[in-house]
Amino acid sequence: ERDVGASSHLVLGQRNWWRAVTAVIDHVHFGHLAVNMTTVWNLRGMQAGAGGRGGYIRQSICFVFLTALLHHGVLPSLAGSRGKDPRVLSVGYSGVLFAWEAQEALAHGGFRSEAAYLVGGSIMEAQALGAHVDLWGHLAGVLAGALSFALARVSGIRV
């Protein structure tokens, strides 16, 4: 068992809140880390729209916690027994990256934009890479990005 991974059982049941942060640092293997680092590099242009490097970091931290809440709290409640086993550990930064991608897609044309199709394609590509890819974590990231975009719009903040 991974020492820093997150699961619904550990984060919510055992109240190991710190796992929401450590799980995004840990990765399954070097290929997993390389894909996420490449995506971070490709998303670097969003720093300007997020208020520079500091804004990007603050928003990413918010995405870490919002994605964890959705991944380990909301989505399992909605999915019930059809969801993933609450003891299965998750690791990686992908949920946060999907949050950024979803927010960017919504800011540039909505769900029917080319960017939105890229988000959907990225999810399908990630699922095709292996059986150990966490669809729930990726969907939680997309929902976190959509919620962030909606809250920014309601608040009058330009994303």
Side-chain angles (χ1 to χ4, degrees), residues 3 6 40 61 66 100-101 126:
D3 293 331
V40 168
I61 291 169
L66 183 55
W100 275 112
E101 289 177 351

Side-chain angles (χ1 to χ4, degrees), residues 43-129:
L43 296 175
R44 70 191 180 282
M46 284 188 248
Q47 286 185 13
R53 187 176 295 154
Y56 180 80
I57 291 169
R58 281 189 299 278
Q59 182 72 29
S60 294
I61 291 169
C62 289
F63 281 151
V64 165
F65 289 106
L66 183 55
T67 300
L69 173 67
L70 291 167
H71 185 200
H72 300 296
V74 176
L75 290 178
S77 298
L78 294 175
S81 62
R82 295 179 311 259
K84 96 176 187 183
D85 184 336
R87 296 165 301 207
V88 173
L89 293 177
S90 300
V91 295
Y93 195 64
S94 306
V96 174
L97 297 176
F98 275 105
W100 275 112
E101 289 177 351
Q103 181 174 279
E104 185 73 2
L106 290 169
H108 293 95
F111 284 115
R112 292 186 179 183
S113 68
E114 182 179 329
Y117 287 113
L118 290 174
V119 172
S122 294
I123 287 179
M124 289 187 284
E125 181 182 0
Q127 290 306 117
L129 287 176

Side-chain angles (χ1 to χ4, degrees), residues 23-45:
V24 299
I25 298 167
D26 191 18
H27 287 76
V28 177
H29 49 70
F30 181 74
H32 182 201
L33 178 63
V35 167
N36 283 352
M37 293 307 295
T38 301
T39 305
V40 168
W41 179 258
N42 290 334
L43 296 175
R44 70 191 180 282

